[in-house]
Amino acid sequence: MIEGILLCSNPQCQSEYPIIDGIPLIIIDLRAYVSQNILPVLGRQDLTDTMESLLGDCFGPGSAFDSQRQHLSTYAFDHYGDLDPEQTIHPPIEPGSIARLLEQGLRSLPRKDHGPVIDIGCALGRTSFELAQQNDDIVLGVDLNFNMLKVAASTLRTGHITYPKRRVGISFDRKTFQLPFRNMPNLDFWVCDATALPFTDELFVLATSLNVLDCVNSPYDHLKEFARVLTPGSSGIIATPYDWSANATPVGSWLGGHSQRSPHKGDSDAVLRSLLAGGNHPKALSELAVISEHEIPWNLRLHDRSHMKYLVQMLIVQKHAGI
Ligand SMILES: C[S@@+](CC[C@H](N)C(=O)[O-])C[C@H]1O[C@@H](n2cnc3c(N)ncnc32)[C@H](O)[C@@H]1O
C-alpha cells in the first residue's frame, strides 16, 4: 500500500495514522511530527538532478534542504556504496562499514530464534535488507527520519537506490544503481519512535540498535523499550560511538560524557553497563544481560575530501528467559 490511513478500531481511541509513500507513520504525537517534517513529507522525488542542483544553489548551505541532502549522501554512501558498480576499489574511505558491523554482531549472537525482527534507527535500511535476507519472518526497519525512510522504501519497491552524493560544498552528483536485494515481502519500513515503540511487549526475537543510542532524546527510554519488545531469552545488538551532542540528547540524559567527578568518571561504557543486568544503577534494566563486547570501526563520508572514522562499542545482549 502506497497511501492510506490506518484507523484504530478501539472506539475509545479512533486515532488515525497515515501511510505516505508506502511508509506508515505510527507516532504518538502525529500532529507535532508532521508539522515538524513538512519538507520531507511534501518533498518531491520527480525533479531532474539539474533542477535539484539549481534549487540547492538557491536554498544554499545550511538550509533544511542542504542538511537533508547531506544526510542522504553520508548514510547512503556507507549503506550502499560497497554495492555501487562504479565505486573505486580503494576509495579514501571504505563504504559498507555498517553492513560489516551487523555481520559481526550476528556472528556473535548466543542463539538464533525464528520470528519477527526489529531494526531500530535503520535510516536508509541497509541493515534491514541484510536481516530480511537471512530471515523469512517479518523484519521491520523503523526510524524517525521520514526522508531517509522514503529512500529505503523506494529501494525496497524498485530494487535500485537513487541518492545525492556530495562532491564538494553544495555540489552533489546523483547516483543510481541496482541492488542485489530482490523480492522481500517480509520487509517493511515504518516511522516509529525508538523511545516509545508502538508494539506489545515481547514481540521480537531479535532487535538491533546500531549507532542510535547517542541520537535519541532519551537513551534510557530507548534501552527500556529495546528490552520490553524482546521475547524472553532472545538477543539484541546495541552499537554506539557515544558521540553525544546536545542537539540530539539533552546533556542530563547522556550516558556518561559529563560529570567526570562521579564514580563512573564520565565513562559512557561504564554508565551503560551500570544500566544493564548486574549493574549498580538504581534504574538498571535487570532483564538485559551483556553476553559480549566488541570494538568495531564505523566510517562516515562527508564529501570527496572529508570523512569521519569512529570506533563503535558493540554489546551483544540477551533478555532474561523468565521463569
Ligand atoms: C547515526 S544514525 C545511524 C543509522 C544506522 N543505524 C547506521 O548505523 O547507519 C541514527 C539514526 O537514528 C535515527 N533516530 C534518532 N532518534 C530516533 C528515534 N527517537 N526513534 C527512531 N529513530 C531515531 C536517526 O533518524 C538516524 O537515522
Side-chain angles (χ1 to χ4, degrees):
M1 183 182 290
I2 301 296
E3 188 182 307
I5 297 177
L6 297 166
L7 177 66
C8 178
S9 55
N10 179 346
Q12 310 284 310
C13 175
Q14 296 277 297
S15 290
E16 293 175 299
Y17 300 97
I19 300 172
I20 307 171
D21 295 322
I23 305 160
L25 278 66
I26 320 276
I27 283 284
I28 292 176
D29 193 347
L30 182 68
R31 273 196 185 86
Y33 181 84
V34 171
S35 56
Q36 287 158 15
N37 284 277
I38 293 173
L39 181 60
V41 169
L42 294 181
R44 36 200 298 187
Q45 287 168 304
D46 58 328
L47 297 173
T48 61
D49 50 350
T50 310
M51 184 54 66
E52 214 172 76
S53 135
L54 184 150
L55 293 176
D57 285 350
C58 294
F59 293 133
S63 60
F65 181 76
D66 184 47
S67 68
Q68 209 172 262
R69 282 207 295 177
Q70 173 69 68
H71 264 103
L72 288 183
S73 169
T74 294
Y75 286 96
F77 180 80
D78 186 51
H79 280 216
Y80 300 108
D82 58 322
L83 305 174
D84 180 350
E86 286 179 2
Q87 181 60 43
T88 52
I89 298 178
H90 296 297
I93 183 161
E94 241 9 276
S97 65
I98 194 60
R100 292 188 289 278
L101 186 152
L102 175 72
E103 193 187 337
Q104 182 155 350
L106 292 175
R107 262 190 276 131
S108 311
L109 291 180
R111 61 184 234 195
K112 287 206 173 114
D113 296 320
H114 190 81
V117 171
I118 186 165
D119 185 16
I120 307 173
C122 65
L124 287 158
R126 170 67 184 271
T127 45
S128 312
F129 278 102
E130 296 290 340
L131 290 162
Q133 240 180 356
Q134 301 184 21
N135 191 330
D136 50 14
D137 211 305
I138 288 168
V139 173
L140 206 52
V142 304
D143 203 288
L144 269 191
N145 189 311
F146 188 73
N147 206 43
M148 294 217 265
L149 288 183
K150 260 199 314 198
V151 176
S154 134
T155 298
L156 176 61
R157 276 198 304 277
T158 62
H160 65 260
I161 173 113
T162 299
Y163 78 95
K165 184 177 173 197
R166 186 173 173 210
R167 209 180 327 134
V168 57
I170 48 174
S171 294
F172 290 77
D173 298 310
R174 185 174 286 183
K175 301 285 299 177
T176 300
F177 49 90
Q178 285 293 323
L179 294 174
F181 308 115
R182 296 272 180 282
N183 293 328
M184 296 198 155
N186 59 326
L187 175 60
D188 213 0
F189 294 102
W190 294 10
V191 172
C192 301
D193 185 349
T195 64
L197 293 170
F199 306 107
T200 53
D201 299 352
E202 303 182 357
L203 188 60
F204 297 99
V205 299
L206 173 66
T208 59
S209 163
L210 308 181
N211 309 321
V212 177
L213 197 65
D214 57 355
C215 295
V216 296
N217 182 267
S218 169
Y220 179 76
D221 287 343
H222 172 42
L223 286 173
K224 225 165 70 173
E225 286 293 87
F226 187 95
R228 183 183 66 78
V229 298
L230 277 175
T231 58
S234 62
S235 321
I237 307 173
I238 300 173
T240 172
Y242 302 116
D243 193 17
W244 302 112
S245 138
N247 293 334
T249 315
V251 177
S253 298
W254 295 3
L255 308 184
H258 65 91
S259 303
Q260 63 197 70
R261 304 154 310 285
S262 67
H264 291 308
K265 301 186 170 31
D267 282 349
S268 290
D269 47 352
V271 176
L272 177 55
R273 257 182 252 110
S274 79
L275 279 169
L276 301 174
N280 55 4
H281 197 285
K283 284 165 59 182
L285 301 162
S286 56
E287 66 273 38
L288 225 46
V290 178
I291 302 299
S292 59
E293 292 185 33
H294 311 257
E295 302 283 327
I296 318 254
W298 178 49
N299 309 326
L300 291 177
R301 176 189 177 281
L302 296 180
H303 57 72
D304 272 357
R305 296 178 183 278
S306 168
H307 58 258
M308 290 186 293
K309 284 185 168 215
Y310 289 99
L311 189 61
V312 162
Q313 183 179 40
M314 181 169 73
L315 300 182
I316 305 297
V317 295
Q318 189 169 26
K319 185 165 171 174
H320 196 278
I323 36 171

